[in-house]
Amino acid sequence: MPNSPSDRPRRITVRRRGPILVEGPVEVELEDGTTVSSDRFRVALCTCRRSRRYPWCDTSHRDRSDTGRRCED
């Protein structure tokens, strides 16, 4: 039964300079109402919106050295 007291809470790890790591599987609802899912044991959610695979992080934030918005903002 979902959300029963025996369910282990999901761990979410927030990194100052990078993505949010979420223990999977996960389902993510985007701003436009569409839903994407992953059955991986851990997923990285992009926080800087530079990823070509948004909402999944593809480490695009590492390639940028300009003064624009970066994950560490």
Side-chain angles (χ1 to χ4, degrees):
M1 174 162 82
N3 297 324
S4 70
S6 63
D7 282 348
R8 193 174 123 246
R10 297 239 186 255
R11 178 171 302 265
I12 298 173
T13 306
V14 179
R15 304 266 185 226
R16 181 177 186 155
R17 295 181 179 208
I20 295 175
L21 303 175
V22 182
E23 288 185 5
V26 299
E27 186 174 274
V28 177
E29 183 177 334
L30 302 175
E31 291 173 294
D32 64 2
T34 59
T35 302
V36 294
S37 60
S38 173
D39 59 358
R40 296 182 63 146
F41 71 95
R42 182 178 296 144
V43 297
L45 297 176
C46 177
T47 58
C48 67
R49 294 186 174 256
R50 290 186 172 162
S51 174
R52 291 175 295 280
R53 300 184 60 231
Y54 185 83
W56 317 120
C57 179
D58 66 2
T59 67
S60 293
H61 60 273
R62 294 180 186 169
D63 296 335
R64 304 293 175 119
S65 60
D66 61 12
T67 57
R69 185 170 180 234
R70 296 188 312 250
C71 287
E72 63 264 20
D73 288 344

